[in-house]
Amino acid sequence: MTQRPLSLVLAGGGTAGHISPLLAVARAVRESAPDARIKVVGTAAGMETRLVPAAGFELAVIDRVPMPRKPGGDLVRLPGRLRRAIAQAGDILDEAAADVVVGVGGYVSTPVYLAARRRKLPIIVHEANARPGLANRVGARFADVVGTAFAETKLPGAQLVGMPMRREIAELDRAGARAAARKALGLEQDRPTLVVTGGSSGAASINRAVEEALPALAAAGIQTLHITGRGKQLEAADGGLLAAPFYRQVEYVDGMEQAYAAADLLLARSGAGTVCEISAVGLPAVLVPLPHGNGEQALNAAGLVAAGGALVVSDSLFTAAWISDKLIPLLADPAALEAMSAASAAEGIRDADRRMAEFILDANVRSRA
């Protein structure tokens, strides 16, 4: 008797930090089990509404249930909202005849975890950050498997698997791709190259410091590709785009593997995805953790910095003067950059998507035994 194909439901959304690893896992499952039926659960307000269908996967939405941080009306309404979202998630699991449920955190994952638990479905959790979020702290208590991107992450039963990422990044040969990447991005071939990014939404404080440091960077012969973030382009006094010697700004790069290949050094925030991707490709970096939130970005960077693959500087200390005193001399030292690259690559995990897919397929086999 032929078994029916795997039905997999993945939960997560809101930001690219949740959606990108989720989609990488979904692709790896489809590679191993081409007939698998895959559905993603998100909310109607997150980036998943655009990214999931664009990746070729079906999206179902439930209500967004944020956890109130202080007493008030939202806290009073929380139980009813959560019950409704759990019911919505349960309907999706039943309609899909789900075999396995995977969550990557975020508001949407908690109701899906709880609905899956009621149905005694195998639950697999992936936590991207060194400091786990509330949803995954809940889900990990009764999950069958808990995978983490960082060894430091503290969750029950956690095992290090790395960060699922697109193969174009995980399998990147930086040296081999450098010339083509620099040509595609409008950069000179033989000039020391700094790539700056604050993520898809940009980082205003990093942008300001880089703008002030442009004369010093140009004087040192360094070319800068500045990925400012959408709507964060730097303007000149006349209202046009800021221009400077050896400087190119773009709002967005479609395919960060090109930027990674072009760079001798990356200047960026230390989101979990960024830290894991630069480790996978062996790219030296200066990391400026986001100063807000629960401090997770500083924790994300800690292991790579300790290994010698990156430098970290707090947002409050990151200035044009710091760029002149620390960053420019580093870019002028190929031996130091090479040592950082080797240290970074030694920390990198490049097959996390396949490892997560193995967990899913194994859980499906066990549940049908």
Side-chain angles (χ1 to χ4, degrees), residues 102-116:
V102 176
V104 296
Y107 295 130
V108 73
S109 291
T110 302
V112 176
Y113 290 147
L114 295 173

Side-chain angles (χ1 to χ4, degrees), residues 6-277:
L6 163 69
S7 177
L8 173 65
V9 173
L10 302 107
T15 66
H18 285 136
I19 302 164
S20 295
L22 180 152
L23 291 176
V25 171
R27 292 187 189 102
V29 170
R30 181 150 287 169
E31 181 182 76
S32 296
D35 60 349
R37 293 184 289 113
I38 299 174
K39 180 174 287 189
V40 176
V41 182
T43 72
M47 294 177 68
E48 60 268 27
T49 57
R50 176 173 57 86
L51 297 178
V52 170
F57 296 102
E58 182 183 356
L59 176 69
V61 298
I62 63 174
D63 292 347
R64 182 175 179 270
V65 188
M67 299 298 158
R69 298 185 182 276
K70 57 185 178 181
D74 283 342
L75 186 59
V76 172
R77 289 186 286 272
L78 176 62
R81 288 175 171 172
L82 186 57
R83 281 195 299 271
R84 185 165 56 252
I86 293 170
Q88 292 169 342
D91 288 344
I92 292 168
L93 296 178
D94 293 341
E95 187 276 331
D99 295 306
V100 181
V101 171
V102 176
V104 296
Y107 295 130
V108 73
S109 291
T110 302
V112 176
Y113 290 147
L114 295 173
R117 187 188 190 196
R118 288 181 180 178
R119 288 157 177 79
K120 297 182 170 58
L121 295 173
I123 297 170
I124 297 172
V125 170
H126 184 272
E127 175 55 56
N129 285 293
R131 177 173 286 163
L134 176 59
N136 281 349
R137 294 204 304 273
V138 171
R141 294 177 184 174
F142 44 82
D144 295 75
V145 180
V146 178
T148 66
F150 295 98
E152 300 84 0
T153 305
K154 291 180 173 56
L155 283 173
Q159 52 185 302
L160 177 66
V161 298
M163 178 73 79
M165 63 187 73
R166 291 187 302 112
R167 297 281 171 80
E168 292 86 351
I169 293 174
E171 298 173 359
L172 177 67
D173 172 4
R174 282 182 56 231
R178 179 175 296 121
R182 289 187 177 181
K183 181 178 180 181
L185 293 168
L187 301 171
E188 295 182 35
Q189 288 295 335
D190 300 320
R191 191 173 292 280
T193 302
L194 172 67
V195 172
V196 181
T197 177
S200 58
S201 58
S205 60
I206 291 178
N207 289 354
R208 281 195 302 271
V210 169
E211 180 178 5
E212 293 171 9
L214 286 178
L217 287 163
I222 294 166
Q223 66 180 339
T224 302
L225 174 66
H226 191 174
I227 307 168
T228 62
R230 298 195 188 278
K232 299 256 183 19
Q233 289 176 297
L234 302 183
E235 295 183 353
D238 62 4
L241 288 182
L242 179 68
F246 313 134
Y247 174 73
R248 180 163 187 256
Q249 63 165 306
V250 295
E251 285 188 287
Y252 183 76
V253 170
D254 186 16
M256 279 299 291
E257 61 274 7
Q258 277 198 329
Y260 294 158
D264 291 308
L265 181 70
L266 184 77
L267 169 61
R269 292 293 192 207
S270 51
T274 297
V275 172
C276 293
E277 287 177 359

Side-chain angles (χ1 to χ4, degrees), residues 90 105 354:
R354 292 186 174 98

Side-chain angles (χ1 to χ4, degrees), residues 339-365:
M340 289 178 70
S341 177
S344 181
E347 295 292 301
I349 299 175
R350 300 162 184 82
D351 62 348
D353 59 335
R354 292 186 174 98
R355 294 166 79 171
M356 288 295 295
E358 287 175 8
F359 291 149
I360 293 164
L361 297 173
D362 288 348
N364 182 48
V365 171

